[in-house]
């Protein structure tokens, strides 16, 4: 009995040990299966990719799919360095890379063909680095869905290899150095939903094959050098929500086929080429519109009333067209509107009371409005409504209207002392540089303002920086780059600058008419000339003086030979009506997303205006008037003498009359005599001594006491 019991116990113990051993093996297998590692072939490919890119901090002592170490790093800004793996979807014992993000790491290598060995890779983001070269042909076999190479130094023709990756839905190659035409093969990417080609050097017409991309919801072509008109086939993009064509050199007008794009919420077209104007494009069915920019698009005629019924509209920019008529009353119900820029048109009628009461940023400067007794007589200084030069010429004779509202911003009639120079430290404090005092310019706002600090100058600023997700735009910037080739004294002019997202005008007021030397001081202080993506930004803008284009597509960094290097551009200007106008304008050129979104537009450090004529004395205008009067009298006197000489030579005066004949026979003496001597010599102007009449009255002869005849 005991033997049977012992045998039973031993059997149970053996069974227990066997089961325990089996369980440990099973659990061990489960543990192993729960933490698979990256496929060995992909590890090898990743090592080669790191070498090519210059990515030196990957630690291959740690499994890339573990999420540990430096395989998963990022900050709240743009920097990202992590990889994502899928370890469960492929019924295999190893993991596969599905995403790689290496953003804003200043990688300065090249793109590796080894990326093509990552067969499961769907997302590749290498934006904001310094990667050079081109895209390898081996990439044609990849199965990418999203690719971003934005903000690098890639070059060559359009990367046609990408047109073979038909799985692509999103592509961004914005802010590189690609050139040449867009190939017809782009039509193969029938799954594309988003493509960003902005800020390259693309040329040629837009290929008709783009019409095949019917799934597009986001297309950005800004800042290129295309040719030809905006094609009618854009009507095929019926799913599109965002369309950007700013400063891309296309010709107008905007085709009427745009009416088919009823899902548009963000439409930006600007600076179209051509001379033929057109009416407002048909946008009445676009109920989702939030951002509408049609700037300098050759549009004429009235603004449609239906714009005021775009209930979601937050930004409206119709500036620098030929729009006329009244501002639609329907605009008064645009509750969500934050910015409205209508500057540089021919809008007329009286300015509605709702505009004068608005708290939104509204710029209606440089228009043709009528003035009546209910209209404003003063400009709003430093507020949110810009009216400068807003009235038609009919208001020029109105004495009660401030001159800032009149065309060309004339000098007030009450001014009796004119200035002869203007020096401004744009965006900075007052600075004394080599004996020249630059006045301070510290007004921090600029979306729609007239800043009028003194009688001597004023500035008008228009625009809002787009896509920067900042509640309060910076219109004054501080140096982020090391200044080069500038003395400590002169550096006061370049440590700050004023910037504008659209248009900036400085007025020199109440200047003496004449010729001046205008010096515009620039230094690129927002980009940094170092081994970082901060050096890749390109700022391009135009400059006008007295309405004449003096700098077209001006690039400060290129002109100065680097960032942080001051450059002074000098021009001659003529002032004829006591006002000098210096205008800076962003025509949609240059990068807008480097180092971050919203860095673009005109930047100016200082302005100096000095006369090319003798400077009046410190007595000012009074001395100037006296000198002018003296010069005028002298000139008239000389002319009279010349005229008398000619008349005498012709015989109209002098020798032909009786007086001359009689005097010619008298040995007359000349000299200076007192009135008493003359009376004695002529016997108190006795009629017997009168010899005739001259141009100045009666003429007498006389005899002095010493016998001298006079």
């Amino acid at each position: 009995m005991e033997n049977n019991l012992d045998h039973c116990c031993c059997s149970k113990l053996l069974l227990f040990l066997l089961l325990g051993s089996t369980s440990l093996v099973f659990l061990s297998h489960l543990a192993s299966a729960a933490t698979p590692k990256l496929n060995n072939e992909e590890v090898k490919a990743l090592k080669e990719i790191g070498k090519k890119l210059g990515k030196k901090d990957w630690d291959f002592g740690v499994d890339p799919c573990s999420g540990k170490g430096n395989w998963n790093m990022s900050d709240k800004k743009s920097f990202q360095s992590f990889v994502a793996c899928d370890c469960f979807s492929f019924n295999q014992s190893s993991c596969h890379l599905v995403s790689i993000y290496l953003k804003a790491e200043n990688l300065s290598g090249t793109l590796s063909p080894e990326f093509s060995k990552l067969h499961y890779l769907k997302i590749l983001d290498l934006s904001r680095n310094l990667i050079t070269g081109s895209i390898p042909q081996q990439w044609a076999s990849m199965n990418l869905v999203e690719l971003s190479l934005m903000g690098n130094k890639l070059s060559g023709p359009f990367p046609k290899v990408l047109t073979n990756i038909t799985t692509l839905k999103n592509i961004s190659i914005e802010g590189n150095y690609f050139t040449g035409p867009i190939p017809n093969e782009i039509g193969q990417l029938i799954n594309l939903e988003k493509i960003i080609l902005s800020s390259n050097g693309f040329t040629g017409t837009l290929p008709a094959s783009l019409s095949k991309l019917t799934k597009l919801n986001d297309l950005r072509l800004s800042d290129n050098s295309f040719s030809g008109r905006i094609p009618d086939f854009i009507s095929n993009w019926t799913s599109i929500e965002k369309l950007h064509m700013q400063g891309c050199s296309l010709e107008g007008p905007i085709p009427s086929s745009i009416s088919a794009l009823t899902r548009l919420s963000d439409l930006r077209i600007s600076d179209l080429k051509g001379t033929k104007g057109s009416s407002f494009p048909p946008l009445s069915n676009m109920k989702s519109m939030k951002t509408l920019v049609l700037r300098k698009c050759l549009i004429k005629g009235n603004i449609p009333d239906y714009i005021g019924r775009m209930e979601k509209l937050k930004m409206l920019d119709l500036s620098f067209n030929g729009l006329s008529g009244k501002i639609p009353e329907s605009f008064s119900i645009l509750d969500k509107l934050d910015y409205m820029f209508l500057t540089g048109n021919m809008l007329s009628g009286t300015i509605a009371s709702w505009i004068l009461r608005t708290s939104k940023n509204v710029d209606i400067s440089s228009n043709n409005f009528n003035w009546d007794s209910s209209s404003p007589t003063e400009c709003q200084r430093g507020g949110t409504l810009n009216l400068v030069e807003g009235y038609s010429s009919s208001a020029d004779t109105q004495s009660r209207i401030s001159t800032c509202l009149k065309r060309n911003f004339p000098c007030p009639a009450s001014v009796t002392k004119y200035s002869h120079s203007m020096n401004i430290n744009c965006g900075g404090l007052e600075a004394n540089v080599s004996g020249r005092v630059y006045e301070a310019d510290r007004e921090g706002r600029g979306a729609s303002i007239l800043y009028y600090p003194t009688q001597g100058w004023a500035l008008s600023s228009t625009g809002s920086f787009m896509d920067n997700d900042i509640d309060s735009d910076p219109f004054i910037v501080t140096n982020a780059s090391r200044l080069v080739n500038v003395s400590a004294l002169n550096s006061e002019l370049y440590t700050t600058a004023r910037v504008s997202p659209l248009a900036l005008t400085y007025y020199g007021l109440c200047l003496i008419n004449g010729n001046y030397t205008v010096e515009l001081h620039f230094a690129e202080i927002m980009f940094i000339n170092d081994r970082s993506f901060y050096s890749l930004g390109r700022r391009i803008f135009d400059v006008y003086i007295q309405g004449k284009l003096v700098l077209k597509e001006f690039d400060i960094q290129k002109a100065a030979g680097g960032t942080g290097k001051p450059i002074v551009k000098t021009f001659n200007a003529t002032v004829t009506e006591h006002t000098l106008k210096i205008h800076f304008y962003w025509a949609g050129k240059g990068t807008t997303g480097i180092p971050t979104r919203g860095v673009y537009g005109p930047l100016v450090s200082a302005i100096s205006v000095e006369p090319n004529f003798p400077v009046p004395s410190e007595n000012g205008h009074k001395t100037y008037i006296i000198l002018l009067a003296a010069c005028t009298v002298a000139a008239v006197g000389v002319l009279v003498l010349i005229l008398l000489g000619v008349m005498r030579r012709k015989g109209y005066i002098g020798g032909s009359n009786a007086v001359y004949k009689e005097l010619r026979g008298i040995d007359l003496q000349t000299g200076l005599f007192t009135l008493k001597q003359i009376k004695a010599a002529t016997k108190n102007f006795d009629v017997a001594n009168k010899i005739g009449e001259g141009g100045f009255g009666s003429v007498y002869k006389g005899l002095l006491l010493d016998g001298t005849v006079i």
Side-chain angles (χ1 to χ4, degrees), residues 256-421:
S256 59
S257 59
I258 198 172
S259 62
L261 312 185
T262 57
R263 295 188 182 183
L264 272 172
S265 62
D266 187 342
L267 174 62
R268 307 181 199 180
I269 304 175
S270 80
D271 301 277
L272 295 179
K273 294 184 178 298
T275 57
K276 184 179 179 181
S278 64
S279 58
F280 207 94
L283 310 177
S284 58
N285 293 324
M286 300 178 187
K287 308 300 183 182
S288 300
M289 192 71 74
K290 295 180 180 179
T291 300
L292 177 58
V293 176
L294 300 176
R295 181 176 65 250
K296 209 172 185 180
C297 288
L298 311 172
I299 305 173
K300 297 182 179 180
N302 295 340
I303 302 174
D305 185 72
Y306 63 72
I307 300 295
R309 292 191 290 275
M310 293 180 174
E311 298 178 354
K312 299 180 180 180
L313 196 62
K314 296 174 68 67
M315 155 71 80
L316 177 64
D317 182 359
L318 306 177
S319 54
F320 301 106
N321 284 293
L323 295 167
S324 56
K326 297 182 178 181
I327 297 175
E329 190 64 29
S330 62
F331 280 23
S332 63
I333 60 175
L334 289 171
D335 295 333
K336 295 185 178 180
L337 190 70
D338 294 322
Y339 300 96
M340 183 172 75
F341 305 126
L342 305 177
T343 185
N345 282 287
M346 295 186 292
L347 297 170
S348 58
T350 56
I351 300 173
S353 58
W354 67 267
I355 295 177
L356 301 176
R357 295 192 307 266
T358 186
S359 60
K360 310 294 185 180
N361 287 280
V362 174
D363 196 312
I364 55 174
S365 61
S366 299
N367 271 287
N368 208 29
F369 293 108
N370 304 325
W371 186 86
D372 63 17
S373 58
S374 63
S375 300
T377 58
E378 293 287 341
C379 292
Q380 187 183 102
R381 301 189 184 188
T384 59
L385 175 62
N386 191 357
L387 302 173
V388 65
E389 292 193 77
Y391 286 155
S392 67
S393 57
S394 62
D396 291 349
T397 57
Q398 294 285 343
S399 59
R400 55 187 295 195
I401 298 176
S402 174
T403 56
C404 62
L405 294 168
K406 299 179 181 180
R407 298 165 72 92
N408 301 316
F409 208 145
C411 187
S414 59
V415 171
T416 58
K417 182 178 180 180
Y418 293 92
S419 60
H420 53 76
S421 64

Side-chain angles (χ1 to χ4, degrees), residues 424-440:
I424 307 168
N425 186 14
C426 304
L429 301 172
E430 181 179 298
N432 190 326
V433 179
S434 301
R436 184 181 293 176
V437 177
Y438 288 79
E439 295 184 50

Side-chain angles (χ1 to χ4, degrees), residues 591-610:
T591 56
T592 60
I594 301 172
T596 57
R597 290 286 169 196
V599 179
Y600 61 92
L603 178 151
V604 58
S605 299
I607 295 174
S608 176
V609 178
E610 295 294 332

